Amino acid sequence: MKFIHTCLLCCIASSWAHAQDTTNTWQPSISLDAEPVPTLAVSNKTDTSYHNSLSLTSIFTLKHRSGWGISYAPGFVLSSSKLQLYVQRFTIGLEQYDRPNYTWVMDYAHDFFTSNSPLPYIPLNNEGYALFKYKKISLRPVVEADIGWGRDSSAMGKMSYDLNFAAGIEYAFQWDFHQAALSVTPSLLGNIGTDSYFFLSRIAPYISHSKGFIKYLKNPHYAGSRGAVQAGRHIVNMNINSNPDTTSVTQVSSGLNRMQFNNIATGAELSLSWFSWTLRSDVQFFIPVSSSATHTISAYFSMTCEYDF
């Protein structure tokens, strides 16, 4: 890990130092992202409860002008009045946001979770993500897909997967000022997925950023989930990232759950750019439409401040 950190920082420093000579072939940037994340509290060794805490993530990115890039993002959670590192995410892939007719993103991310994390156990530590937007018409079609995978320690190391798809439309309102640009982009998307595991999915933040995430899990990997109550079996007690094997397991559901139409997501992204600074805010509301849904509307928000060198 120290070697990877050193190499990444050296690449960013080198490209920054030679930016003028290479006509900005490489573009380093740094950003700070704030969003909610559920944390786990265990009392009497069996009782578990969840509440939303503030997650702060620093993102260091090095991107080629062709769109290829790599980023390193350590994530901290505000727990017990102190910041605690819970994940380090490395991402590599292709991102083309500035094309006149389309936006295209395809990347891979790997998460290194730390020991003694206050988050619930996350069994999936890999994510493949793809996004496409067609921008030549006013109502832009949007299509997203992601797959998460990893070995579930609570299921004797079984390789586990989760799939999510989203599709819909968005409309961008844009205003250009003398030295600044403002855009507001409302969207309406339908979400289809397996929602079998708790993991840091970019398409399904209603799971990984909500204290009520167990309501959405179709596979009963967590005690108290809807599936555990309905099935009356396959119960797995809550584990913490630091030691998922210490909690007893009676039985774990096997295989991947079928795809379901889960919810309608409506929201908006606000972006304000001024010179090299960009401030983005994303707000989404998720309206459940699944026939087995017993939960109410959930909300998600994030705030990001970015500086491009």
Side-chain angles (χ1 to χ4, degrees):
M1 291 296 295
K2 291 182 179 178
F3 174 76
I4 295 175
H5 295 171
T6 303
C7 290
L8 183 61
L9 292 175
C10 288
C11 289
I12 293 176
S14 176
S15 66
W16 187 11
H18 298 88
Q20 297 300 324
D21 297 333
T22 59
T23 62
N24 293 326
T25 300
W26 292 94
Q27 180 71 58
S29 66
I30 184 172
S31 60
L32 179 66
D33 177 78
E35 58 192 356
V37 69
T39 53
L40 170 66
V42 181
S43 60
N44 299 325
K45 296 183 179 180
T46 56
D47 297 331
T48 58
S49 61
Y50 316 95
H51 63 274
N52 278 345
S53 299
L54 181 64
S55 169
L56 297 175
T57 303
S58 300
I59 307 171
F60 304 91
T61 302
L62 181 62
K63 185 181 296 184
H64 191 268
R65 61 183 175 186
S66 64
W68 290 99
I70 184 172
S71 69
Y72 165 64
F76 299 84
V77 61
L78 183 60
S79 178
S80 302
S81 301
K82 66 177 181 180
L83 284 176
Q84 183 176 353
L85 178 69
Y86 71 92
V87 68
Q88 298 178 80
R89 167 166 282 206
F90 287 89
T91 304
I92 184 171
L94 175 65
E95 298 183 354
Q96 296 183 340
Y97 288 100
D98 299 327
R99 302 294 181 180
N101 296 331
Y102 61 86
T103 290
W104 175 262
V105 177
M106 182 176 291
D107 58 36
Y108 162 76
H110 183 82
D111 296 323
F112 295 91
F113 295 104
T114 62
S115 60
N116 302 316
S117 170
L119 268 68
Y121 171 54
I122 301 178
L124 310 185
N125 60 352
N126 300 278
E127 183 187 26
Y129 174 80
L131 165 70
F132 179 78
K133 297 181 182 180
Y134 184 68
K135 300 190 294 186
K136 202 169 183 179
I137 56 180
S138 298
L139 283 178
R140 303 174 177 176
V142 180
V143 179
E144 288 181 280
D146 76 358
I147 178 172
W149 71 94
R151 295 195 176 275
D152 189 352
S153 298
S154 67
M156 296 175 290
K158 178 177 69 73
M159 183 62 73
S160 303
Y161 303 88
D162 228 346
L163 293 169
N164 274 287
F165 297 92
I169 56 173
E170 68 176 25
Y171 187 90
F173 298 92
Q174 298 178 330
W175 298 271
D176 291 324
F177 304 99
H178 180 59
Q179 295 177 331
L182 174 65
S183 68
V184 178
T185 309
S187 61
L188 182 67
L189 302 174
N191 175 271
I192 301 174
T194 53
D195 289 356
S196 303
Y197 290 87
F198 176 69
F199 86 107
L200 301 179
S201 167
R202 276 177 274 185
I203 293 183
Y206 52 87
I207 293 180
S208 56
H209 297 279
S210 169
K211 65 181 179 181
F213 68 91
I214 57 175
K215 302 175 187 176
Y216 297 94
L217 298 182
K218 301 183 182 70
N219 273 346
H221 299 282
Y222 301 98
S225 69
R226 290 186 294 110
V229 175
Q230 294 172 1
R233 58 190 180 91
H234 305 311
I235 307 299
V236 180
N237 291 328
M238 285 303 301
N239 300 326
I240 300 180
N241 288 323
S242 59
N243 196 0
D245 291 315
T246 58
T247 305
S248 62
V249 177
T250 57
Q251 191 176 2
V252 182
S253 59
S254 60
L256 188 67
N257 270 353
R258 63 186 179 90
M259 303 290 289
Q260 287 187 1
F261 184 23
N262 296 320
N263 54 64
I264 299 286
T266 179
E269 180 186 86
L270 186 147
S271 178
L272 176 63
S273 300
W274 181 69
F275 291 103
S276 296
W277 292 92
T278 301
L279 182 65
R280 288 189 300 273
S281 178
D282 184 22
V283 179
Q284 297 184 58
F285 294 92
F286 297 92
I287 305 170
V289 295
S290 172
S291 58
S292 61
T294 59
H295 46 272
T296 57
I297 297 175
S298 61
Y300 163 77
F301 79 92
S302 68
M303 181 74 71
T304 303
C305 182
E306 179 178 329
Y307 181 80
D308 295 318
F309 293 97

